[in-house]
Amino acid sequence: RAATAALGTVEGGVVVLLTDDATVRGLNARFRDRDRPTNVLSFPAAEMTFPGQAAPLGDLVLAHGVCAAEAAAQGKTLADHLAHLTVHGVLHLLGRDHEDEAEAEAMEAEERTILATLGVADPYRADAQA
């Protein structure tokens, strides 16, 4: 539901993989030169077309252990945190980023709006980060 909500009117396939921290650490090291697990990685699909089908947008890989620890530390349910990270990852596949403050604010606002449609509380509230 979170991936579909983040796509909005954009058509395309997204694969979401929830896996162990070691797998995500390996992918993060291989593709980002960061030898540590992270909560979510986004891998845009190569440009390709399939007759009669929407083009694939890419893959998301979430580290279960990292996500579970973050959710517990932030007082959130794991389901809500995974929804947030899935929305975040899909927005990356759609070209959004958070490299500078303006981009980060715009992306966070879009995440809040999408998550609200799913009944997920604002993940950036000050009390949600405690």
Side-chain angles (χ1 to χ4, degrees):
R1 283 185 41 226
T4 300
L7 287 171
T9 60
V10 175
E11 290 190 22
V14 175
V15 172
V16 180
L17 173 65
L18 180 61
T19 190
D20 59 85
D21 292 1
T23 298
V24 174
R25 179 181 181 165
L27 292 169
N28 205 22
R30 180 175 175 192
F31 293 103
R32 298 179 68 226
D33 291 322
R34 296 179 183 172
D35 190 16
R36 60 181 172 80
T38 188
N39 51 20
V40 61
L41 294 171
S42 300
F43 295 98
E47 299 237 355
M48 59 181 87
T49 58
F50 298 99
Q53 295 181 21
L57 296 174
D59 303 335
L60 302 180
V61 183
L62 297 120
H64 181 270
V66 171
C67 294
E70 288 176 347
Q74 297 171 17
K76 301 174 184 175
T77 67
L78 179 57
D80 282 359
H81 193 48
L82 290 173
H84 173 218
L85 293 172
T86 299
V87 167
H88 183 88
V90 169
L91 291 178
H92 276 304
L93 294 178
L94 295 174
R96 313 310 192 277
D97 215 336
H98 47 82
E99 292 298 315
D100 63 44
E101 191 172 330
E103 286 179 333
E105 288 177 11
M107 190 168 172
E108 288 172 10
E110 193 169 4
E111 289 171 14
R112 285 182 183 103
T113 300
I114 294 165
L115 291 168
T117 69
L118 298 171
V120 176
D122 178 355
Y124 297 106
R125 280 189 345 250
D127 62 332
Q129 301 297 317

